[in-house]
């Protein structure tokens, strides 16, 4: 499964896949959310938990290095080189 295919799935299925098949890496806090980072297949996934830590507000596969920037000062991640389209 690719990150694009993952992002096209319904959010409840995205969350289930990340939580059951992904490898938990790290978390960060942003405002009213706890954001968990997972490694799934060959891409990174964020799950945004709302302040009650029982509700999921967002699940997304990270498809650019820029989306991973909040983690780079804290943990070491493998980044794919960005393709430059002509």
């Amino acid at each position: 499964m690719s990150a694009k295919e993952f992002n096209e799935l319904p959010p409840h299925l995205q969350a289930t896949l990340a939580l059951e098949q992904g490898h938990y890496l790290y978390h960060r806090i942003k405002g009213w959310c706890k954001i968990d980072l997972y490694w799934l297949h060959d891409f990174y996934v964020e799950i945004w938990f709302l302040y009650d830590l029982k509700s999921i507000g967002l699940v997304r596969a990270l498809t650019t290095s820029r989306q991973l920037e909040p983690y780079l000062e804290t943990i070491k991640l493998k980044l794919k080189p960005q393709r430059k389209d002509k």
Side-chain angles (χ1 to χ4, degrees):
M1 174 180 294
S2 70
K4 182 180 183 222
E5 293 169 326
F6 179 87
N7 280 335
E8 292 172 354
L9 295 173
H12 71 279
L13 187 52
Q14 291 174 328
T16 299
L17 284 171
L19 292 169
E20 292 180 359
Q21 297 179 19
H23 300 280
Y24 172 81
L25 299 174
Y26 190 75
H27 82 271
R28 63 187 176 102
I29 304 296
K30 183 173 182 177
W32 41 266
C33 288
K34 176 182 176 262
I35 307 166
D36 286 353
L37 182 67
Y38 290 84
W39 175 252
L40 179 67
H41 301 293
D42 68 343
F43 53 90
Y44 296 98
V45 173
E46 281 185 334
I47 300 180
W48 292 55
F49 291 94
L50 302 180
Y51 69 93
D52 63 5
L53 300 179
K54 297 176 186 173
S55 304
I56 294 175
L58 175 70
V59 182
R60 67 178 180 163
L62 304 180
T63 57
T64 67
S65 296
R66 183 172 204 167
Q67 292 173 318
L68 291 167
E69 286 179 5
Y71 302 98
L72 297 179
E73 289 186 18
T74 311
I75 61 175
K76 189 174 185 175
L77 300 173
K78 292 182 181 180
L79 302 177
K80 292 181 181 178
Q82 294 293 312
R83 290 188 302 168
K84 293 184 181 180
D85 297 327
K86 294 181 181 180

